[in-house]
Amino acid sequence: MTLNIERPSLQVEVLRDGAPAGMLTLYPDDTAFLQRFYALGQKLADRQALAGGEREPEQAMQALEALAEGVRADIDETFGPGTSGMVFGPAGCSPAALAQFFGGVAAALEDSRRPLMEQYLDGEAP
């Protein structure tokens, strides 16, 4: 006997600096995945609040580095080990790169979920 479970997934190509870096797998119907992804926004805000209070340049840079390391670990926990390396490269990540990542993933999830949600929105676009 075989039990075959198919999880709908969305494959998104990642281009880093214009070159293919890999594929990111998203699970738009998996509520646990969606919850983990959207919780990353709050984690990022919390980390930014901790890092934002530094006034001295050296301490501010250390806080920014700690923020990047923490966010990368959160991304790997949500999307799987090695995801942050594939997306951002071997070390660090800029606030602009984080914004591109979160904005791109959110847009891809929204686009893939729109047909599923329209039945509940009486045909009204969000």
Side-chain angles (χ1 to χ4, degrees):
M1 178 179 178
T2 301
L3 177 61
N4 187 18
I5 307 296
E6 301 273 336
R7 290 180 13 171
S9 64
L10 176 63
Q11 300 294 313
V12 178
E13 183 178 17
V14 175
L15 299 176
R16 185 171 6 99
D17 299 325
M23 298 296 286
L24 185 63
T25 302
L26 309 177
Y27 299 96
D29 290 349
D30 183 337
T31 56
F33 169 78
L34 293 172
Q35 188 173 32
R36 287 191 313 273
F37 171 69
Y38 289 115
L40 286 176
Q42 185 60 50
K43 284 184 178 182
L44 177 58
D46 293 345
R47 289 181 190 282
Q48 285 176 323
L50 291 173
E54 297 298 336
R55 299 267 190 252
E56 297 297 321
E58 186 175 320
Q59 292 172 336
M61 290 304 295
Q62 289 173 349
L64 186 59
E65 185 176 327
L67 173 113
E69 287 177 23
V71 172
R72 287 177 67 118
D74 293 340
I75 288 170
D76 284 348
E77 184 178 316
T78 300
F79 292 90
T83 300
S84 64
M86 184 250 315
V87 172
F88 302 113
C93 60
S94 70
L98 288 172
Q100 291 171 49
F101 173 77
F102 285 108
V105 170
L109 288 170
E110 182 180 318
D111 287 349
S112 68
R113 293 187 54 76
R114 182 173 288 119
L116 301 169
M117 297 305 293
E118 282 179 351
Q119 63 183 324
Y120 301 108
L121 299 173
D122 296 325
E124 296 178 23

